[in-house]
Amino acid sequence: MTVRAHADAVLGLLPGSLRVLDGAVPKDVVPPYVLLYFADADPELVDSTPLDGGSERFVQRIYVHSVGGNAAAARALGERVRTALLDQVPTVAGRVCWPIRREDGQPPQRDESTGVLVMDRVDVYRLESVPA
């Protein structure tokens, strides 16, 4: 099991018609785009700890920034991502995945720090898996 395998499975669910960026925005890229960050955890759950004491459950949070030139564009991107990810069960070799769930979200936030209006909507999704 690798963090990269889970991230790749999520990235593979997003349609090719979206400009998807993994963890960084290259210089000179302008909206619209979707920027993803991945964070992982290995929670200790007493009821599911194997006899050998090893961690089995893996949790990955997907932080999605839907960035558009205005609030409507950011919302539209966020909805396209939601359609692509919510309730989907990705395939990760050697793992059994649960459906992706949305944990949190924020309305588009205004940013004019670069001199150009950019609206950024943030949604947080969760993917969990255990060994197959």
Side-chain angles (χ1 to χ4, degrees):
M1 174 210 44
T2 67
V3 173
R4 183 80 252 164
H6 285 75
D8 288 344
V10 169
L11 290 167
L13 293 172
L14 296 168
S17 59
L18 289 176
R19 185 177 353 171
V20 176
L21 306 172
D22 183 2
V25 179
K27 186 178 178 175
D28 300 325
V29 169
V30 296
Y33 58 84
V34 177
L35 173 64
L36 282 79
Y37 295 101
F38 297 92
D40 59 281
D42 301 298
E44 297 233 357
L45 301 173
V46 177
D47 292 345
S48 64
T49 302
L51 294 176
D52 67 5
S55 297
E56 288 194 352
R57 183 176 291 234
F58 177 79
V59 176
Q60 183 172 65
R61 287 192 173 75
I62 306 118
Y63 296 85
V64 179
H65 292 258
S66 300
V67 181
N70 57 49
R75 286 192 308 270
L77 279 173
E79 288 306 309
R80 290 182 65 196
V81 170
R82 180 186 177 99
T83 298
L85 295 183
L86 189 63
D87 298 326
Q88 297 302 309
V89 180
T91 301
V92 177
R95 306 291 294 178
V96 174
C97 296
W98 281 278
I100 294 174
R101 298 294 185 223
R102 183 172 176 267
E103 289 191 331
D104 196 11
Q106 299 174 357
Q109 301 294 309
R110 179 180 208 87
D111 180 356
E112 294 182 72
S113 62
T114 62
V116 176
L117 173 63
V118 172
M119 298 293 284
D120 178 12
R121 169 184 161 162
V122 179
D123 292 291
V124 182
Y125 293 89
R126 182 186 76 247
L127 168 60
E128 294 189 46
S129 73
V130 292

